[in-house]
């Protein structure tokens, strides 16, 4: 069957099997020559497409146990973040780290060591994993944690499914008093002032900037910086008396029913949208629901169809602080002059990564969306060179096209990671289209 | 007409429809007892219920083919449940069921004999107590035997008739009997089949419909997707001379 990631590019054919129990999973793994696990397919490129077979993990969707006092929750790897929040937010618990969509699986979040808008402060999702159960190609299952099989644990956090199939994980949830967020919006004149604002506000629990990539000159990369805090019960009752403490958790949003014509998201429509958004932004402090703060895009189901049949690329890089102020404006300049429009551009600061192949490093990350076009690939090749030269790297969960050299240059722990793979018999057995493309 | 939360016994706790139903009862504050023949899989479901819903939940071992064990099983329950929902079933491959008598017998017993005997025994206890609700998950396949699945269909027809008779016997004793016709449902049972989206329900939808019919609206027979009533109306109206020639 033809499979793709969220960007719908590239598409590859792969045999999909959906095991229903650990026993069935072990049996399948022993018999299938090469495969990789897949969660909910929310990585953008080819990470979740098996070279040969793809093991769909979504039937591993049972929760196993929860301890109120420690906040430790054990779940199977195919549990959706959305279901976890549905069940635990009304009890006053929230995941310590969430990505920009809640339609991801716990296994997928660990495999990509996803970062939230609070990485500078709490680390990645992997930093809140206490322990995991990992299944090797032989069908053997091992437990790993920071104390037990710790090297394998660090290889698996951010390891993109290439060190074994995560079957189960124990993660730590944080306590929240309400499902509301206090949001402060601050305008930044250009990309560098956005970076400054983000670093100056590292005391905020959550911080993210939305960047306008089509503005030019002095306004190159003008941004809106959103700072967020969980709202206490007292503050909610004072500011929104009578509001539900945990606003609506169910519901999937409105669906985009068909592929939009490819021209819908073009330079002009995006420029108009950006200008409107920037002009309308209010700087005052407001209370918004957890959904609209963390997952604004989830309100529109299958929004990836807006990019038309050809799909789109997501390009996310990180640059260390030392080079970011020099290289970021260069990158923004390249994009603006190339005329390739990016509808979404999101800027965050990151701290140290927790796993051997984790994407984060102390620095600044920018994520961009580009519709597939003839000129986009050469633009991104040029950007790759700037990123590598600046000591940065690209996020594997978003990648669909980087070359092995770019990958090797960005991930210095690659050789230890390869050793781990050899040690558990993963070489040649565990492979995704991503791992083949970038020669992991 | 809402019922106070009580105890629900789900026969077939590892089925996709059964586990959705268990979760709906649990979310309404009921205590849930699940049965499974595979204890490892049963434990997964009970742990999920306990973790996801904070309800009380227990697991009991039960094989629907082992009719001898039904008496001891019922006696082992701490309290007699308020509601029992039986979802156990098996969809055989028709061609194999025609050729292999042991296989045909397995399907007949799993879909009819086991559920009917177990529900009959629970009905007697409920009748003595004077309250209780019995929910049997049957199938539209039992409404009329079709060439392509009559081994399954005839067993479900037996179950439907059994439930109908039971309802008649018990209606004045305070015990209610609900027959559920799910139509197509996207579950393990129908995995890989091409099903019309209009006629196919999700397991949660069936679970909600069961809860509503059994505990809120007190219905006798439900078709989860209303469109099925129409389809089955047309099928019932066909003269046998025509029906036997139709291939479906
Ligand atoms: C709208 C949107 C916003 C996003 N925002 C962010 C963000 O803010 N921060 C961020 O970090 N990411 C973000 N992402 C990316 C997303 O969080 C990651 O790609 C995540 O890995 C997707 O999880 P999934 O379950 O869909 O996994 P898939 O996409 O199916 O798989 C991703 C990787 O995980 C592996 N994997 C999946 N399940 C298992 C398992 N059980 N065992 C072993 N390996 C497994 C796969 O092999 C693959 O390599 C965003 C994605 C979208 C679509
Ligand atoms: N899916 C549909 O389209 C559809 C349509 C109409 C009616 N139905 C009916 O709905 C009910 C539930 O089906 P489903 O779709 O949820 O399918 P399912 O997931 O395959 O469930 C079947 C259940 O029956 C259990 N079972 C089979 N033999 C058993 C035995 N000897 N002892 C104990 N348990 C046994 C299975 O247990 P194991 O897990 O151990 O195998 C499983 O829990 C069935 O009665 C089915 O006929 C389904």
């Amino acid at each position: 069957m033809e499979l793709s990631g969220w960007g719908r590019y590239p598409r590859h054919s792969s045999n999909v099997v959906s095991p229903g129990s650990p026993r069935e999973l072990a049996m399948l793994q022993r018999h299938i020559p090469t495969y990789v696990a897949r969660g909910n397919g929310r990585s953008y490129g080819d990470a979740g497409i098996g070279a040969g077979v793809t093991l769909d993990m979504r039937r591993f969707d049972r929760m196993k146990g929860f301890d109120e006092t420690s906040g430790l929750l054990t779940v199977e790897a195919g549990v959706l973040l959305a279901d976890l929040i549905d069940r635990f937010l009304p009890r006053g618990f929230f995941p310590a780290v969430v990505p920009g969509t809640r339609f991801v699986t716990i296994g997928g979040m660990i495999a990509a060591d996803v970062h939230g808008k609070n990485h500078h402060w709490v680390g990645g999702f992997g930093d809140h994993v206490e322990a995991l159960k990992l299944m090797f190609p032989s069908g053997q299952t091992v437990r790993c944690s920071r104390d037990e099989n710790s090297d394998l644990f660090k290889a698996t956090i951010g390891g993109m499914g290439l060190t074994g199939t995560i079957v189960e994980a124990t993660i730590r949830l944080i306590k929240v008093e309400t499902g509301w967020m206090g949001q402060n919006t601050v305008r930044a004149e250009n990309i560098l002032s956005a970076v400054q604002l983000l670093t100056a506000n590292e005391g905020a629990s959550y911080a993210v900037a939305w960047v306008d990539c089509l503005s030019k000159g002095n306004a190159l990369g003008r941004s809106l910086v959103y700072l967020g805090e969980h709202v206490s019960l007292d503050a909610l009752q004072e500011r929104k008396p009578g509001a539900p403490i945990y606003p609506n958790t169910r519901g999937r949003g409105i669906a985009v029913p068909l592929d939009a014509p490819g021209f819908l998201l073009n330079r002009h429509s995006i420029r108009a949208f950006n200008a409107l958004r920037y002009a309308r932004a209010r700087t005052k402090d407001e209370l918004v629901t957890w959904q609209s703060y963390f997952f604004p895009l989830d309100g529109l189901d299958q929004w990836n169809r807006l990019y038309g049949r050809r799909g789109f690329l997501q390009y996310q890089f990180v640059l260390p602080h030392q080079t970011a102020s020099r290289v970021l404006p260069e990158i923004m300049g390249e994009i603006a002059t190339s005329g390739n429009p990016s509808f979404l551009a999101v800027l965050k600061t990151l701290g140290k990564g927790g796993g051997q192949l984790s994407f984060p490093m102390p620095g600044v990350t920018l994520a961009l969306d580009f519709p597939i076009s003839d000129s986009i690939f050469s633009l991104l090749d040029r950007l790759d060179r700037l990123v590598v030269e600046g000591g940065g790297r690209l996020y594997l969960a978003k990648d669909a096209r980087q070359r092995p050299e770019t990958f090797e240059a960005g991930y210095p722990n690659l050789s230890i990671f390869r050793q781990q793979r050899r040690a558990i018999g993963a070489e040649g057995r565990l492979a995704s289209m991503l791992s083949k493309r970038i020669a992991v | 007409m809402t019922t106070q939360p009580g105890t629900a016994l789900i026969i077939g706790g590892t089925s996709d429809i059964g586990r959705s139903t268990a979760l709906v009862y649990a979310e309404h504050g009921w205590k849930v007892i699940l049965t499974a023949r595979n204890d490892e899989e049963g434990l997964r479901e009970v742990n999920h219920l306990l973790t996801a819903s904070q309800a009380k939940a227990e697991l009991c071992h039960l094989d629907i083919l082992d009719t001898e064990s039904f008496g001891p099983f019922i006696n082992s329950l701490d309290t007699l449940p308020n509601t029992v929902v039986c979802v156990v079933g098996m969809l055989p491959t028709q061609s194999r069921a025609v050729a292999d008598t042991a296989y045909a017998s397995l399907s007949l017993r799993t879909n009819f004999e086991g559920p009917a005997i177990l529900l009959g025994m629970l009905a007697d206890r409920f009748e003595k107590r004077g309250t209780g609700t019995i929910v049997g998950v049957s199938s539209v396949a039992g409404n009329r035997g079709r060439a392509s699945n009559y081994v399954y269909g005839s067993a479900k027809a037996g179950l439907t008739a059994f439930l109908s008779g039971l309802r008649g016997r018990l209606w004045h004793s305070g015990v209610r009997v609900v027959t559920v016709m799910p139509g197509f449902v996207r579950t393990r049972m129908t995995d890989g089949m091409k099903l019309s989206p209009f006629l196919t329900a999700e397991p949660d939808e069936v679970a909600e419909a069961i809860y509503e019919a059994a505990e809120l609206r007190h219905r006798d027979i439900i078709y989860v997707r209303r469109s099925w009533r129409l389809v089955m109306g047309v099928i019932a109206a066909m003269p046998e001379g025509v029906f036997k020639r139709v291939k479906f």
Side-chain angles (χ1 to χ4, degrees), chain A residues 20-23 59-66 68 73-74 76 87-88 91 250, chain B residues 14 16 19 23 27 38 40-41 44-45 47-54 188 191:
Chain A
S21 66
R23 199 180 285 271
R59 288 178 66 198
F60 285 75
D61 62 352
R62 317 298 201 279
M63 300 182 183
K64 198 167 176 187
F66 181 59
E68 294 265 347
L73 171 68
T74 302
E76 294 179 358
R87 299 283 167 199
F88 287 93
R91 294 194 228 167
R250 299 281 162 97
Chain B
T14 57
D16 287 334
R19 54 205 192 86
L23 205 51
E27 280 171 343
N38 176 336
E40 208 177 307
E41 288 300 307
R44 263 177 103 196
E45 304 309 339
N47 283 337
H48 179 67
L49 271 182
L50 290 168
T51 310
S53 75
Q54 292 182 290
R188 186 157 50 114
D191 192 34

